């Protein structure tokens, strides 16, 4: 497995997997149909760092992003879109990605937000992810049915 | 919309250009500029107007009932129509921080969002210094759902950012009346403030 820069043509596979793969809040379609503009926006707007992860034979298995950086507070959002078939390998490369980002950027911590039935954050981040909140009944799943949104923090000192 | 926009001492007026000079002074005041809505940014009054409109499509100036003077701003931000949730952002003139009565504007706005626009859940995010200023009322009325630790830089220190919520189910049990001390008789909710009708 390897990771590397995201290029414009990656928007093609991202659009296909957005609704199927494990995903954090930012990369969740939430019922929308992904237009080319929307996907381009997800890959370009407010993104400070991002990598794609591929298998050795060239199949994409994850998109890693650091977005919405607040340089005054030293915080940002970690966004993750990942094929659950490759969780273990992705998590190792994710840790490397985070280490690079914390080294390069003036960040103290990242937060990741995910609906509990869309992404199991600890399976990708292990003890790096500290749970700090649960937004109860946040995300609509149907008439009178809602899922919780979980919030985690990842601190620079735990990664580097 | 059928919900009252006037309280005992505070009224909500849909944000208009006439409110902006006073709100600009409030937003740029010492102790306020680092927080909402500017979050440390510097901008001139013209930019401020554009900035406010970009942030929210549901916002009101809070004004004094006796004089019409703007004392603050309430905004619904990060609206999530699918899940029926919205964040409430508030800024109040610093000289009124110790007075409890301006919070009546927040209560009116919450009722507008629940009863008027049909939102299901409201969020309130506040750093520790604001939470201490508001006092125990916050913990009594709202549910703490998330604490982002050492999250925001205020006066040289990193403060926790607490995220509270209020569900409509709780509001519909009569919380509005409990908080304001007013019983809202049938038919009053059909009355709309003159400023809203204009």
């Amino acid at each position: 497995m390897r990771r590397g820069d995201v290029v414009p043509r990656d928007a093609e596979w991202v659009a296909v997997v957005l609704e199927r793969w494990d995903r954090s809040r930012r990369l969740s379609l939430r019922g929308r149909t992904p237009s080319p503009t929307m996907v381009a926006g997800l890959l370009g707007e407010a993104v400070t760092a991002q990598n794609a992860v591929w298998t050795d034979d060239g199949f994409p298995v994850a998109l890693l992003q650091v977005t919405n950086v607040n340089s005054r507070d030293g915080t940002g959002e970690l966004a993750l879109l990942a094929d659950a078939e490759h969780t273990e390998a992705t998590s190792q490369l994710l840790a490397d990605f985070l280490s690079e980002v914390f080294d390069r950027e003036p960040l103290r911590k990242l937060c990741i937000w995910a609906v509990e039935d869309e992404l199991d954050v600890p399976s990708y981040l292990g003890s790096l992810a500290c749970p700090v909140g649960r937004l109860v009944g946040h995300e609509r799943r149907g008439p009178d049915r809602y899922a919780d949104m979980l919030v985690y923090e990842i601190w620079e000192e735990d990664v580097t | 919309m059928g919900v009252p926009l006037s309280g005992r001492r505070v009224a909500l007026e849909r944000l208009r250009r006439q409110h902006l000079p006073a709100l600009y002074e409030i937003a740029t005041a010492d102790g306020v500029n680092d927080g909402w809505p500017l979050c440390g940014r510097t901008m001139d009054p013209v930019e401020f107007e554009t900035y406010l409109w970009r942030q929210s499509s549901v916002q009101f100036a809070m004004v004094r009932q006796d004089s019409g003077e703007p004392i603050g701003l309430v905004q619904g931000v990060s609206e999530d129509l699918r899940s029926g949730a919205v964040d409430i952002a508030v800024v109040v003139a610093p000289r009124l921080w110790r007075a409890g009565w301006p919070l009546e504007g927040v209560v009116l706005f919450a009722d507008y969002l629940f009863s008027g626009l049909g939102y299901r859940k409201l969020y309130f995010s506040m750093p520790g210094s604001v939470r201490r200023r508001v006092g125990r009322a916050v913990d009594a009325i709202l549910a703490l759902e998330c604490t982002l630790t050492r999250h925001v830089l205020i006066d040289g220190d990193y403060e926790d950012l607490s995220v509270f919520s209020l569900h409509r189910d709780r509001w519909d049990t009569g919380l509005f009346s409990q908080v304001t001390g007013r019983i809202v008789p049938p038919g009053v909710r059909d009355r709309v403030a003159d400023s809203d009708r204009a």
Side-chain angles (χ1 to χ4, degrees):
Chain A
M1 301 274 272
R2 61 183 176 86
R3 63 181 172 92
D5 292 338
V6 172
V7 296
R9 66 173 176 273
D10 287 323
E12 293 175 18
W13 64 261
V14 170
V16 171
V17 301
L18 267 175
E19 208 162 13
R20 296 204 319 248
W21 284 3
D22 292 345
R23 55 207 177 270
S24 63
R25 173 181 69 170
R26 173 185 161 87
L27 295 167
S28 174
L29 277 182
R30 307 183 72 238
R32 293 168 294 176
T33 303
S35 69
T37 308
M38 177 188 167
V39 179
L42 289 175
L43 296 182
E45 290 172 12
V47 175
T48 294
Q50 67 180 341
N51 272 177
V53 177
W54 292 276
T55 61
D56 289 337
D57 36 354
F59 289 98
V61 297
L63 175 68
L64 320 173
Q65 293 184 325
V66 169
T67 72
N68 296 309
V69 167
N70 183 317
S71 55
R72 184 192 73 169
D73 298 332
T75 60
E77 180 174 347
L78 173 64
L80 177 62
L81 174 68
D83 184 349
E85 299 287 318
H86 301 274
T87 303
E88 191 174 332
T90 298
S91 67
Q92 290 170 355
L93 292 170
L94 174 56
D96 293 341
F97 171 72
L98 291 174
S99 183
E100 269 183 21
V101 171
F102 277 123
D103 266 347
R104 194 177 68 224
E105 305 293 338
L107 290 167
R108 296 182 302 119
K109 72 167 185 177
L110 296 171
C111 298
I112 181 167
W113 309 65
V115 182
E116 61 183 340
D117 58 4
E118 289 186 347
L119 174 69
D120 178 36
V121 171
S123 69
Y124 288 92
L125 285 162
S127 59
L128 291 180
C130 308
V132 294
R134 172 182 288 267
L135 307 185
V136 176
H138 179 84
E139 184 73 16
R140 189 174 190 271
R141 284 287 175 261
D144 295 322
R145 286 190 301 115
Y146 295 87
D148 295 351
M149 170 90 73
L150 303 179
V151 190
Y152 298 81
E153 294 178 332
I154 304 112
W155 289 91
E156 178 201 9
E157 54 260 34
D158 293 335
V159 172
T160 58
Chain B
M1 199 59 67
V3 293
L5 293 177
S6 295
R8 206 172 291 151
R9 296 182 68 173
V10 178
L12 299 184
E13 293 183 354
R14 295 191 189 282
L15 186 64
R16 299 192 184 95
R17 192 160 279 169
Q18 69 205 57
H19 300 123
L20 293 175
L23 292 179
Y24 181 76
E25 291 302 314
I26 291 169
T28 56
D30 282 343
V32 180
N33 192 72
D34 276 353
W36 192 269
L38 293 179
C39 302
R41 295 177 185 85
T42 302
M43 58 185 69
D44 65 31
V46 173
E47 291 169 315
F48 179 68
E49 178 179 359
T50 308
Y51 177 71
L52 285 187
W53 286 117
R54 213 167 45 228
Q55 282 187 324
S56 171
S57 59
V58 183
Q59 50 190 334
F60 292 85
M62 296 195 288
V63 304
R64 292 181 64 127
Q65 281 277 45
D66 53 4
S67 65
E69 174 201 357
I71 60 164
L73 174 70
V74 284
Q75 299 175 298
V77 296
S78 302
E79 301 111 290
D80 180 346
L81 298 180
R82 179 170 177 266
S83 291
V86 63
D87 291 16
I88 288 189
V90 182
V91 61
V92 174
R95 60 186 166 79
L96 296 175
W97 284 350
R98 292 188 184 278
W101 61 265
L103 291 179
E104 184 182 38
V106 180
V107 174
L108 289 168
F109 188 53
D111 193 45
Y112 181 83
L113 293 172
F114 280 132
S115 304
L117 297 186
Y119 278 100
R120 190 183 57 87
K121 190 178 184 190
L122 309 183
Y123 289 106
F124 302 79
S125 298
M126 59 190 82
S129 51
V130 172
R131 184 179 176 183
R132 286 188 294 275
R133 199 181 300 144
V134 176
R136 293 179 182 271
V138 168
D139 298 302
I141 296 168
L142 307 178
L144 176 63
E145 294 198 329
C146 179
T147 300
L148 300 174
T149 57
R150 289 176 283 137
H151 194 75
V152 290
L153 183 62
I154 296 178
D155 292 334
D157 278 330
Y158 290 106
E159 295 189 11
D160 292 352
L161 186 72
S162 300
V163 180
F164 294 86
S165 72
L166 179 59
H167 279 262
R168 188 174 61 206
D169 290 348
R170 179 146 157 67
W171 193 256
D172 287 346
T173 61
L175 183 60
F176 176 82
S177 297
Q178 291 171 35
V179 170
T180 62
R182 292 190 292 151
I183 305 297
V184 182
V188 171
R189 285 182 175 271
D190 296 332
R191 201 172 62 223
V192 177
D194 286 342
S195 61
D196 192 42
R197 201 180 278 121

